[in-house]
Amino acid sequence: MAELLLDLPLPAGQTGTDLAQSCGFVIGWHEAEARHAWRLAQKSWEEASKAPKYWR
């Protein structure tokens, strides 16, 4: 979603550099959070996949 910000018109007083810097920060932050969440999700999935199946 943050990549879409780059296509928006610039607000008065802003430069392309300001927008690119802001978008880069947001994209980087979300990427780091997603990687962390994925590591936690993988651990949870491994545990859940070992649980007995209730439908058997």
Side-chain angles (χ1 to χ4, degrees):
M1 184 71 189
E3 291 93 345
L4 298 176
L5 293 174
L6 294 170
D7 294 330
L8 295 174
L10 293 174
Q14 297 293 311
T15 66
T17 303
D18 293 335
L19 181 62
Q21 223 171 13
S22 299
C23 288
F25 176 81
V26 170
I27 292 167
W29 184 85
H30 280 284
E31 178 68 25
E33 286 295 310
R35 286 178 188 223
H36 176 69
W38 179 240
R39 281 193 295 272
L40 295 176
Q42 283 178 315
K43 289 178 186 176
S44 296
W45 177 254
E46 289 170 7
E47 291 175 19
S49 67
K50 293 175 187 173
K53 312 298 186 258
Y54 66 88
W55 57 87
R56 291 186 183 183

